[in-house]
Amino acid sequence: MRLDKLISNSTVFTRSQTGKIIRKGDVSVNGSIIKKASFKVSPKDKVQYLGIEINLPKLRYIMMNKPMKVVCSTADGEHQTVLDLLFIAKRDNLHIAGRLDLDTTGLVLITDDGQWSHRITAPKHKQAKVYRVTLSEMISNEAIGQLETGLRLKNEAKNTLPAQVKKIDDKTILLTLREGKYHQVKRMLAAVGHHVEQLHRQQIGKIILDPNLKAGEWRELSEDEIQLF
Ligand code: URA
């Protein structure tokens, strides 16, 4: 996080007062004076104002089982947002690492650690996302083959990356993708002639949705889960 943001989040200083004390040379990070407000720091760093250590807030890492009809955005005029379901302080500092559609359920990761969420969402990291997809019709082996090989979606210049498909029953598959184009699952299934009835994300990277979380419930991630990214 930026040094000025971290200090204004943790002290009574406003963002502009924080900018002033940094430029004045009153702030040090791990013993060195830092005069750049945009300097990147993490809660592990020792930040001092005039030699007094500032207690930095703990970063937060949350998993939620997103219910239907709740949007993955920080504000929405019409629907409840996933952040509305979190009754915790300083909710506005949180963001969502990988959104789901209004009618998609399942695993959503929420944090105020931008570097951590970047490792989850940046295309170059190719994190696997596992979706349970329920279709209105039986799926053919040919359609599964096309998903596994990669196919061209409308208005896209390149084929989709090869996906992994595990058939659960005639109308249900587990689909693993390593990219995240807009409405990708629904568009891929539409491209092979299928309509998605239900979509549920159960895994991102190695983080699996906790089966004890009912729709709308959430919990903090364990230290081991945080370290997976
Ligand atoms: N793909 C979709 O089509 N929708 C989602 O919510 C997630 C992936």
Side-chain angles (χ1 to χ4, degrees):
M1 196 187 284
R2 286 173 59 111
L3 179 59
D4 56 352
K5 187 159 186 222
L6 203 85
I7 294 177
S8 59
N9 282 349
S10 331
T11 65
V12 293
F13 290 125
T14 63
R15 191 79 173 256
S16 77
Q17 286 167 335
T18 305
K20 279 183 198 146
I21 60 165
I22 294 172
R23 280 192 299 279
K24 240 177 104 194
D26 289 347
V27 174
S28 68
V29 178
N30 303 326
S32 308
I33 299 286
I34 301 294
K35 292 192 173 179
K36 207 168 138 206
S38 63
F39 186 81
K40 288 281 188 289
V41 276
S42 85
K44 289 176 201 122
D45 291 316
K46 184 174 173 182
V47 180
Q48 290 176 304
Y49 166 61
L50 295 174
I52 301 161
E53 185 160 356
I54 297 175
N55 275 329
L56 302 177
K58 243 180 104 255
L59 290 173
R60 294 168 297 174
Y61 305 87
I62 288 165
M63 74 156 74
M64 180 185 283
N65 183 0
K66 179 187 131 17
M68 296 271 265
K69 308 283 172 231
V70 169
V71 279
C72 272
S73 72
T74 44
D76 188 274
E78 200 183 338
H79 298 99
Q80 255 193 330
T81 71
V82 293
L83 296 190
D84 291 334
L85 302 180
L86 293 172
F87 296 103
I88 54 177
K90 298 210 174 193
R91 276 193 323 204
D92 294 352
N93 290 341
L94 295 166
H95 62 271
I96 300 150
R99 288 155 194 258
L100 292 176
D101 295 339
L102 187 66
D103 58 355
T104 303
T105 57
L107 178 60
V108 172
L109 298 174
I110 302 164
T111 184
D112 43 16
D113 183 344
Q115 290 177 8
W116 187 80
S117 61
H118 185 258
R119 291 196 286 278
I120 298 173
T121 54
K124 68 173 178 187
H125 296 304
K126 294 197 170 53
Q127 295 291 358
K129 273 130 337 202
V130 184
Y131 297 91
R132 187 183 174 96
V133 190
T134 310
L135 304 164
S136 36
E137 307 289 336
M138 272 173 58
I139 189 160
S140 64
N141 287 338
E142 195 196 336
I144 292 178
Q146 283 177 281
L147 298 171
E148 286 175 332
T149 311
L151 47 83
R152 185 65 58 91
L153 296 174
K154 238 180 169 174
N155 302 324
E156 297 287 347
K158 286 189 188 160
N159 279 8
T160 55
L161 294 175
Q164 274 169 271
V165 183
K166 187 168 171 224
K167 200 165 159 186
I168 306 288
D169 61 39
D170 285 347
K171 293 184 182 175
T172 314
I173 56 169
L174 279 189
L175 181 67
T176 304
L177 302 183
R178 292 186 174 274
E179 56 188 339
K181 294 188 167 66
Y182 183 64
H183 293 325
Q184 182 158 351
V185 175
K186 291 173 190 160
R187 288 164 72 208
M188 283 177 76
L189 269 303
V192 294
H194 280 285
H195 173 71
V196 173
E197 285 238 300
Q198 279 175 33
L199 186 54
H200 180 79
R201 183 159 66 195
Q202 47 189 55
Q203 189 169 342
I204 301 175
K206 290 192 178 129
I207 294 192
I208 298 171
L209 179 62
D210 186 332
N212 296 319
L213 292 179
K214 299 194 190 83
E217 290 183 343
W218 59 274
R219 69 160 170 81
E220 287 189 13
L221 295 186
S222 67
E223 202 48 48
D224 287 348
E225 286 170 326
I226 296 167
Q227 294 309 324
L228 290 172
F229 293 108

